[in-house]
Amino acid sequence: MGWLLLTISLLVLFFGLVVFSGAPYVPSRKKDVQQAFSRLYPLGPDDLLVDIGSGDGLVLRAAAKIGARAVGYEINPILVFVSRLLARKYRGIDVILADFWLSKLPTDVTVVYIFSVTRDMKKIINKLQNETNRLGRPIHVISYGSKFDVVKAIKSLGAYNLYRLEPLQSAEAQV
């Protein structure tokens, strides 16, 4: 009985507390992700996709199947373990146990995939714009489920929206 209580407590801790720093874990649908990578942003071998809150790694695996490299940031250690386990037969996938808010994007990132709740969208766009400014080059963002208020989507497909963030000069950088 003690192990069961401990297991339940850990699950509540890892899955419940994450909601305070980001979106809850909601598995992506493989068909939707494949459509986003073919019709919204044609992902290819020259791309490095970063998935913020990568969950079980479905988005990372879909990117790897196309030939892109993929990095997932996940704060839940159970999901990091599951994602790494499921990704073991794929090349070019890295799953990092880290809080995205405290991390920097890789220097060669080309596209960021996010699923977020509306309350965090302003914070996310600020973080991504700062990262774009730091890198000094454009980054594409695929958002599932929520829209940015301050940036207009360049393309939409169902619940997906594609954005292109351009580096801003310091006077413009106030998002």
Side-chain angles (χ1 to χ4, degrees):
M1 189 63 147
W3 284 105
L4 180 61
L5 185 58
L6 177 63
T7 301
I8 291 171
S9 298
L10 286 174
L11 288 173
V12 168
L13 175 70
F14 291 137
F15 285 91
L17 291 180
V18 171
V19 172
F20 294 110
S21 67
Y25 170 63
V26 178
S28 299
R29 292 178 25 183
K30 186 190 298 188
K31 177 183 161 194
D32 294 339
V33 172
Q34 289 170 338
Q35 285 184 343
F37 291 164
S38 64
R39 295 175 45 202
L40 189 66
Y41 181 91
L43 201 61
D46 293 333
D47 286 304
L48 172 61
L49 174 128
V50 171
D51 185 2
I52 301 170
S54 58
D56 64 4
L58 183 134
V59 170
L60 304 175
R61 294 189 306 276
K65 283 180 185 177
I66 297 169
R69 292 174 297 128
V71 174
Y73 289 93
E74 179 55 57
I75 199 168
N76 182 328
I78 295 170
L79 290 173
V80 169
F81 174 77
V82 168
S83 185
R84 287 178 179 167
L85 185 67
L86 294 173
R88 68 187 183 280
K89 69 177 186 174
Y90 296 92
R91 297 181 60 139
I93 294 178
D94 190 17
V95 183
I96 302 168
L97 175 61
D99 186 342
F100 169 72
W101 302 116
L102 305 175
S103 303
K104 291 183 177 180
L105 291 175
T107 57
D108 53 347
V109 62
T110 56
V111 61
V112 176
Y113 181 95
I114 61 168
F115 167 77
S116 185
V117 291
T118 304
R119 72 158 197 255
D120 292 333
M121 292 304 281
K122 184 168 177 54
K123 185 177 176 183
I124 289 172
I125 192 67
N126 286 336
K127 169 74 173 174
L128 292 176
Q129 184 63 63
N130 287 335
E131 287 294 293
T132 302
N133 296 345
R134 179 182 67 84
L135 296 172
R137 60 181 180 70
I139 295 176
H140 284 88
V141 179
I142 299 172
S143 174
Y144 180 71
S146 295
K147 295 181 179 182
F148 293 124
D149 290 336
V150 295
V151 180
K152 185 177 180 192
I154 58 173
K155 209 172 189 184
S156 295
L157 177 68
Y160 284 100
N161 292 287
L162 176 66
Y163 302 90
R164 180 180 165 103
L165 300 181
E166 297 284 345
L168 302 175
Q169 301 302 318
S170 60
E172 299 175 288
Q174 303 301 317
V175 177

